[in-house]
């Protein structure tokens, strides 16, 4: 430290020291904003950020990853588990290490979850070039592969001089801590600048608190919202991920208890009410329950709380069919609040729900409406029990029976993670969420390979909690490498590996659009290109064991139950491998989803699918 109140450090050292002093605060509770850094080192960051992490290892925990995309997934899982109040950073080298971040960054930004990305970059001085792994552009010398991160980042900057970090680091923290604007934040770090020393103002390293706002609703918007709610005879709440991010579950329950308005949930919002609450209808949309979708078709007022209305939620614009249906959207992001030509309450979810409960004092939906949706709940619960039930303990389980066996083992605070394949549809329809964080589905980007690394992040955020990663064989093959990290960091995640020999979800979709399940099986191919039907001699359980996991093989329903119970009690990373019955017993979709079908074809399955498609498209509405 100099006498003039500065500290001479490299840019990378200053950045790590700065990050260690950043905090968020909401409702009087303080959290580390950047609680740790994931990293894979190469020539583009080992001498800069790598050295700085050694220098300040006492204040910045380090986690060694195996795949750059997976490190982002782990950081995203961590941030989601902690309601976006704490995040992690990810550092990579230049070149392929940096471009591997793109998918993870897109997932984070799509889902509005904070993660700080610190990829290495070319020399700002251009003294050494072309670098190993540098992209040379013939007319734009300032372009690098890191520019691929621009469209998937909420904030992007390239730190070409040390002093540029002073302003950019503060802007980056603002975005990470902003409840409306958060997502992936990228600070590209030229490797010469990382190692360059500068006299940094002491103020840069002082503890800094970023308060996470709870903006209240505008009084006039609130008055209009209350008027619309009092006039509605068949209102329906659609709970999205914003309910969880705001920690508004108790406020939502209070509103529902006071008014009797039923709640359907998106994939991100499931668990906003406990599954056994009399007003909880389960999932909504293409993967929703029959009771939720039936009520959505006749709702006269749809109250979206913290949802961005994806095409799965709206059934590609075909779900909300009442001629006079209107929308009221409570969302901290104005962009989402204005969707579907809605009345808006641009505010924090908890603040808005609390204000609505107070303003609606004495109001309740008609008792006949409550009787109707409660009867629908009962009918659907019978379907859930039937799907979970296994009458023969010695039989090979179906996929829904796997979920039933897991449902019988998990505790209220366990976390169940999934992202892609056929499991999200079954989970959204059938899973009985018992706590706000139990149901962890990444379905904004539906990224295969998310589950295992995300489980690591969740386990870090919630030590002592049983964390389950549910994956099919296709997803497992995308990204199993972080099993090694789980072993190294002694994170006792539980992996349920469902072997069904192919892309079950896309196979079914392929068949429905006339593509005849082409390219969706993991089976032997004959010389003429047709499949023989024999599964490939691939042993994924042995693969998981080779990476360091304890592996339990379950061949029957009884063995599955025993294996899951053993895994839950395990103190090491443990895998339960189960091969499911080939013929899936999944419940059919309760609403449509728009996947375009070829308009002309010489193949009859395509023509049949096109006729069904045109009939479904005719039901689409533009809510204006």
């Amino acid at each position: 430290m100099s006498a003039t109140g500065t500290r001479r450090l490299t840019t990378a050292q200053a950045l790590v020291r700065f990050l260690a002093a950043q905090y968020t605060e909401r409702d009087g509770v303080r959290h580390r904003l950047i609680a740790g850094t994931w990293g894979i080192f190469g020539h583009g960051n080992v001498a800069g950020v790598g050295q700085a992490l050694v220098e300040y290892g006492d204040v910045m925990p380090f986690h060694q990853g195996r795949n750059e995309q997976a490190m982002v997934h782990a950081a995203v899982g961590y941030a989601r588990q902690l309601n976006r109040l704490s995040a992690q950073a990810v550092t990579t080298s230049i070149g392929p290490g940096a471009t591997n971040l793109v998918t993870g960054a897109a997932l984070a930004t799509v889902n509005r979850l904070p993660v700080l990305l610190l990829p290495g970059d070319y020399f700002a001085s251009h003294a050494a070039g072309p670098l190993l792994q540098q992209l040379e552009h013939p007319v734009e010398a300032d372009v690098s592969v890191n520019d691929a991160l621009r469209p998937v980042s909420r904030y992007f900057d390239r730190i070409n001089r040390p002093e540029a970090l002073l302003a950019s680091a503060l802007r980056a923290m603002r975005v990470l801590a902003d409840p409306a604007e958060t997502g992936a934040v990228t600070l590209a770090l030229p490797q010469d600048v990382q190692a360059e020393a500068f006299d940094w103002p002491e103020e840069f390293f002082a503890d800094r608190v970023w308060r996470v706002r709870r903006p209240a609703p505008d009084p006039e918007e609130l008055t209009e919202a209350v008027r619309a709610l009092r006039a509605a005879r068949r209102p329906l709440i659609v709970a999205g991920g914003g309910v969880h991010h705001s920690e508004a579950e108790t406020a939502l329950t209070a509103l529902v208890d006071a008014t009797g308005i039923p709640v359907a949930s998106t994939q991100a919002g499931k668990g906003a009410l406990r599954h056994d609450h009399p007003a909880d209808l389960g999932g909504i949309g293409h993967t929703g329950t029959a009771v939720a979708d039936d009520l959505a078709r006749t709702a006269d007022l749809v109250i979206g709380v913290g949802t961005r209305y994806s095409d799965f939620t709206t059934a590609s614009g075909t779900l909300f069919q009442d001629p006079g249906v209107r929308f009221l959207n409570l969302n901290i992001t104005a962009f989402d609040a204005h969707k579907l030509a809605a009345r808006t309450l641009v505010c924090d979810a908890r603040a808005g729900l609390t204000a609505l409960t107070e303003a609606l004092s004495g109001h309740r939906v008609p008792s006949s409406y409550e009787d109707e949706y409660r009867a629908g709940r009962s009918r659907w619960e019978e379907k859930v029990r039937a799907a979970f039930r296994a009458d023969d303990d010695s039989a090979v389980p179906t996929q829904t029976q796997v979920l039933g066996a897991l449902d019988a083992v998990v505790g209220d605070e366990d976390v169940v993670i999934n992202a892609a394949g056929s499991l999200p549809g079954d989970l959204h329809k059938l899973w009985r969420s018992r706590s706000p964080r139990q149901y962890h589905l990444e379905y904004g980007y539906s990224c295969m390979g998310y589950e295992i690394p995300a489980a690591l992040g969740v386990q870090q955020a919630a030590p002592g909690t049983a964390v389950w990663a549910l994956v099919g064989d296709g997803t497992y093959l995308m990204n199993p490498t972080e099993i090694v990290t789980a072993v190294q960091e002694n994170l006792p995640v539980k992996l349920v590996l469902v072997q069904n020999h192919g892309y079950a979800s896309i196979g079914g979709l392929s068949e429905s659009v006339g593509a005849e399940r082409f390219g969706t099986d993991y089976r032997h191919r004959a010389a003429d290109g047709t499949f023989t039907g024999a599964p490939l001699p691939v042993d994924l359980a042995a693969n998981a064991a080779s990476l360091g996991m304890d592996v339990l093989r379950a061949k029957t329903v009884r063995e599955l139950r025993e294996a899951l119970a053993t895994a839950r009690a395990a103190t090491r990373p443990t895998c339960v491998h189960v091969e499911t019955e080939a013929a899936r017993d999944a419940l059919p979709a309760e609403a449509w989803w728009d996947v375009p079908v070829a308009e002309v074809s010489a193949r009859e399955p395509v023509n049949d699918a096109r006729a069904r498609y045109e009939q479904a498209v005719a039901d689409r509405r533009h809510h204006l």
Side-chain angles (χ1 to χ4, degrees):
M1 186 188 303
S2 75
T4 57
T6 60
R7 191 182 306 189
R8 190 162 182 80
L9 302 172
T10 69
T11 302
Q13 291 166 355
L15 175 58
V16 171
R17 187 67 190 83
F18 168 85
L19 294 177
Q22 305 304 303
Y23 298 87
T24 62
E25 185 176 284
R26 186 168 71 182
D27 304 329
V29 180
R30 187 170 295 189
H31 308 262
R32 275 281 296 268
L33 177 50
I34 303 299
T37 299
W38 289 88
I40 296 175
F41 294 115
H43 67 277
N45 65 339
V46 66
V49 175
Q51 187 283 323
L53 289 167
V54 173
E55 190 95 9
Y56 293 110
D58 57 332
V59 293
M60 180 56 68
F62 174 72
H63 311 293
Q64 181 181 351
R66 269 73 194 174
N67 174 280
E68 292 86 358
Q69 176 182 318
M71 293 193 299
V72 185
H73 293 337
V76 166
Y78 179 92
R80 175 170 169 173
Q81 180 67 21
L82 295 177
N83 298 317
R84 307 190 300 184
L85 296 171
S86 187
Q88 294 176 322
V90 177
T91 180
T92 72
S93 186
I94 188 174
T99 51
N100 281 351
L101 296 173
V102 174
T103 296
L107 181 148
T109 298
V110 165
N111 287 283
R112 322 286 171 82
L113 293 166
V115 60
L116 176 62
L117 308 180
L118 305 173
D121 215 323
Y122 58 66
F123 279 59
S125 67
H126 291 206
L131 296 177
L132 173 66
Q133 300 179 333
Q134 179 181 350
L135 172 72
E136 286 188 283
H137 196 288
V139 295
E140 294 184 77
D142 62 341
V143 168
S144 83
V145 295
N146 287 332
D147 288 283
L149 287 159
R150 288 181 183 271
V152 293
S153 298
R154 294 297 289 175
Y155 179 80
F156 178 98
D157 196 7
R158 180 174 286 113
I159 310 302
N160 283 318
R161 293 178 59 87
E163 58 266 39
L165 183 65
L166 291 167
S168 190
L170 293 173
R171 293 172 186 148
M173 297 305 104
R174 179 195 66 78
V175 174
L176 289 170
D178 192 297
E181 299 298 328
T182 196
V185 167
T186 300
L187 297 180
L189 301 172
Q191 52 198 292
D192 55 343
V193 177
Q194 289 183 48
E196 186 177 343
F198 182 75
D199 293 323
W200 302 89
E202 277 297 324
E203 293 87 348
F204 189 58
F205 307 113
D207 286 359
R208 192 178 302 268
V209 178
W210 301 86
R211 286 187 171 80
V212 181
R213 300 179 298 279
R214 288 195 182 277
D218 175 82
E220 292 187 10
E221 286 194 335
L222 180 61
T223 297
E224 289 187 6
V226 170
R227 185 181 299 118
L229 278 162
R230 288 188 179 276
R233 302 293 294 172
R234 300 180 64 82
L236 173 66
I237 292 172
V238 175
V243 176
H244 294 308
H245 299 328
S246 175
E247 299 174 298
E249 298 90 357
T250 300
L252 176 63
T253 302
L255 174 65
V256 171
D257 288 345
T259 63
I261 301 173
V263 177
S265 55
T266 69
Q267 288 278 16
K270 195 171 170 74
L273 288 185
R274 267 187 65 103
H275 76 93
D276 52 3
H277 191 287
D280 179 61
L281 308 181
I284 191 171
H286 178 66
T287 54
T289 67
V291 58
D293 286 352
D294 285 347
L295 259 68
R297 292 184 181 97
T298 60
D300 57 359
L301 180 67
V302 178
I303 307 104
V305 183
T307 178
R308 63 190 186 95
Y309 288 112
S310 75
D311 61 339
F312 260 52
T313 299
T314 67
S316 299
T318 65
L319 186 58
F320 306 110
Q321 286 294 330
D322 184 85
V325 65
R326 302 299 294 174
F327 296 84
L328 167 64
N329 291 338
L330 192 168
N331 205 300
I332 199 166
T333 306
F335 176 78
D336 291 317
H338 282 275
K339 288 178 178 176
L340 302 175
R343 292 183 176 88
T344 60
L345 273 177
V346 181
C347 60
D348 170 73
R350 194 169 85 181
L353 290 168
T354 300
L356 284 173
T357 302
E358 293 172 355
L360 287 166
S361 178
H363 174 73
R364 195 166 185 88
V365 299
S367 59
S368 59
Y369 185 47
E370 291 190 72
D371 293 342
E372 177 187 345
Y373 70 67
R374 291 186 182 191
R377 269 180 46 86
S378 296
R379 291 191 298 272
W380 186 257
E381 182 59 27
E382 283 299 319
K383 290 191 175 184
V384 174
R385 283 193 285 266
F388 282 178
R389 185 168 53 244
D391 296 324
D392 182 0
D393 282 0
S394 64
V396 175
T398 64
Q399 182 163 288
T400 58
Q401 288 168 351
V402 171
L403 298 183
L406 184 61
D407 175 79
V409 167
V410 299
D412 283 9
E413 300 304 319
D414 288 18
V415 180
V416 177
I417 301 172
N418 186 242
S422 57
L423 278 164
D426 289 348
L427 285 161
H428 200 205
K429 292 185 185 76
L430 301 173
W431 190 256
R432 298 158 165 164
S433 298
R434 307 171 197 179
S435 61
R437 306 311 307 172
Q438 182 174 84
Y439 187 88
H440 184 124
L441 262 284
E442 188 291 296
Y443 218 56
Y445 210 51
S446 187
C447 186
M448 296 178 72
Y450 171 81
E451 296 91 338
I452 295 173
L456 273 59
V458 172
Q459 192 75 82
Q460 288 177 330
T465 299
V467 180
W468 303 84
L470 273 62
V471 302
D473 49 339
T475 291
Y476 179 85
L477 288 168
M478 288 278 187
N479 204 358
T481 54
E482 297 314 307
I483 288 174
V484 177
T485 304
V487 173
Q488 180 178 22
E489 300 239 350
N490 196 30
L491 297 170
V493 295
K494 296 91 172 59
L495 169 62
V496 180
L497 176 51
V498 180
Q499 172 64 272
N500 55 24
H501 302 289
Y503 300 112
S505 174
I506 297 302
L509 179 62
S510 172
E511 186 173 32
S512 73
V513 299
E516 303 173 49
R517 293 185 176 265
F518 176 75
T520 63
D521 279 327
Y522 294 158
R523 298 181 185 273
H524 281 288
R525 191 185 294 272
D528 63 357
T530 60
F531 287 104
T532 66
L536 296 175
V538 174
D539 190 342
L540 299 184
N543 178 264
S546 76
L547 297 176
M549 271 196 143
D550 292 343
V551 175
L552 306 168
R553 295 176 184 262
K555 297 182 179 179
T556 67
V557 172
R558 181 184 300 107
E559 291 177 359
L560 174 63
R561 290 171 180 156
E562 293 170 353
L564 291 172
T566 300
R568 189 174 189 278
T571 57
R572 292 194 72 254
T574 302
C575 170
V576 176
H577 176 276
V578 56
E579 186 165 357
T580 55
E581 188 179 282
R584 293 186 65 247
D585 63 339
L587 296 172
E590 297 291 339
W592 184 63
W593 180 44
D594 189 348
V595 178
V597 178
E599 191 168 0
V600 296
S601 173
R603 302 181 75 85
E604 197 57 34
V606 178
N607 295 327
D608 291 343
R610 180 67 191 189
R612 294 192 299 271
Y613 177 79
E614 291 177 353
Q615 184 177 8
V617 166
D619 291 332
R620 174 176 284 139
R621 293 184 60 185
H622 298 283
H623 300 284
L624 301 172

